[in-house]
Amino acid sequence: MAQSILVVEDEPEIRDLLNFTISRAGYDVLEAETAEHALQILDRSVPELAIIDWMLPGMSGVDLSRRLRKDELTEQLPIIMLTARGEEADKLKSFDSGVDDYVTKPFSPRELVARIKALLRRSGSPEDDLLEVGGICLNLSSHVATVGGNEVHVGPTEYRLLELLMRHPNRAFDRGQLLDRVWGRSVYVEERTVDVHVLRLRKVLQPYGLDRVIQTVRGVGYRFSPVS
Ligand code: CA
């Protein structure tokens, strides 16, 4: 699965150029015209990296970056900030927005791709890429789930659901919380959709005797309980 990069840029020509440059380098591109739109996208999925323009209508790129650093889901997200000529990087650094790198417009596509690759290398250590709980192992960069070295085929939604539950073992989530965090607040999905996806997860885990790890909490919802 290709790594995805979120591009937040209000000017269509620059957004197109970014999309073209980044897609050609082999990444999936998610486009947002505003910070608000970016937050909606981030509600649904967290990309491997974000490129954020400083000057945006509404919430600025600096404010967006600060906000992302405060949210546990995006606090580690590598961010490159785009600045126009004249908005000096040193000046921006004083904003302390938690940005990892700066690229000045007009940018050279080759340089931008080099910066992206360098930042992805810096931020991704292979050891941190694995989440292993209760006999299930998730590769957080490739989104592959394995049990005892065998790949368990889960869809993207089941993967996100499993990751959330595994990150908080023994914590019960109600259906509304799962909808918010797996499907995102901006999407309308019925609560029983959660049950459908839990059933699918249990089905793929059953051959390994691990369907029991996702327990129904009566009157609440679900929790991940590692089998000892
Ligand atoms: Ca702009």
Side-chain angles (χ1 to χ4, degrees):
M1 187 188 269
Q3 293 178 301
S4 60
I5 295 181
L6 172 67
V7 167
V8 193
E9 166 63 75
D10 57 310
E11 287 159 73
E13 297 81 18
I14 299 175
R15 207 168 55 239
D16 287 349
L17 176 62
L18 286 166
N19 191 340
F20 178 75
T21 304
I22 297 166
S23 312
R24 206 176 46 171
Y27 302 101
D28 284 339
V29 180
L30 302 163
E31 286 186 35
E33 293 167 36
T34 60
E36 291 77 6
H37 184 200
L39 289 170
Q40 285 176 17
I41 291 174
L42 290 165
D43 254 350
R44 290 194 291 273
S45 67
V46 177
E48 272 72 28
L49 185 144
I51 296 176
I52 301 173
D53 184 35
W54 184 31
M55 297 297 279
L56 293 167
M59 190 192 297
S60 74
V62 172
D63 287 340
L64 174 62
S65 305
R66 272 204 201 109
R67 186 158 159 176
L68 297 180
R69 284 290 169 264
K70 283 185 195 142
D71 188 321
E72 65 170 299
L73 288 175
T74 51
E75 64 186 355
Q76 305 285 342
L77 176 68
I79 298 173
I80 294 176
M81 183 148 292
L82 282 181
T83 67
R85 216 203 306 248
E87 301 161 358
E88 290 159 42
D90 285 346
K91 197 165 94 188
L92 283 170
K93 277 173 190 155
S94 69
F95 281 100
D96 192 26
S97 53
V99 166
D100 300 282
D101 201 359
Y102 297 85
V103 169
T104 309
K105 292 192 278 190
F107 55 86
S108 123
R110 259 175 67 184
E111 192 201 336
L112 179 69
V113 171
R115 299 278 194 100
I116 289 171
K117 287 187 173 158
L119 185 51
L120 285 173
R121 262 199 309 276
R122 279 211 308 274
S123 60
S125 78
E127 289 79 22
D128 294 336
D129 273 343
L130 300 179
L131 173 67
E132 207 163 357
V133 191
I136 302 171
C137 181
L138 299 183
N139 184 316
L140 300 173
S141 53
S142 63
H143 289 197
V144 168
T146 52
V147 175
N150 300 308
E151 184 172 346
V152 179
H153 295 279
V154 292
T157 306
E158 280 87 36
Y159 178 89
R160 288 200 300 275
L161 180 60
L162 186 60
E163 182 182 333
L164 173 65
L165 292 170
M166 283 172 64
R167 280 186 187 277
H168 307 277
N170 297 315
R171 171 174 160 186
F173 287 93
D174 66 34
R175 289 173 180 77
Q177 289 170 323
L178 293 172
L179 282 175
D180 278 355
R181 300 178 71 164
V182 175
W183 281 262
R185 266 153 266 170
S186 49
V187 193
Y188 180 75
V189 187
E190 285 183 66
E191 291 204 339
R192 67 194 161 101
T193 305
V194 175
D195 304 326
V196 173
H197 287 272
V198 166
L199 277 178
R200 281 192 205 152
L201 260 185
R202 283 181 178 152
K203 205 170 160 186
V204 293
L205 292 172
Q206 196 187 14
Y208 305 95
L210 289 171
D211 48 316
R212 296 170 296 157
V213 296
I214 301 170
Q215 300 184 334
T216 303
V217 184
R218 201 173 289 216
V220 183
Y222 298 100
R223 79 167 160 234
F224 186 92
S225 288
V227 184
S228 48

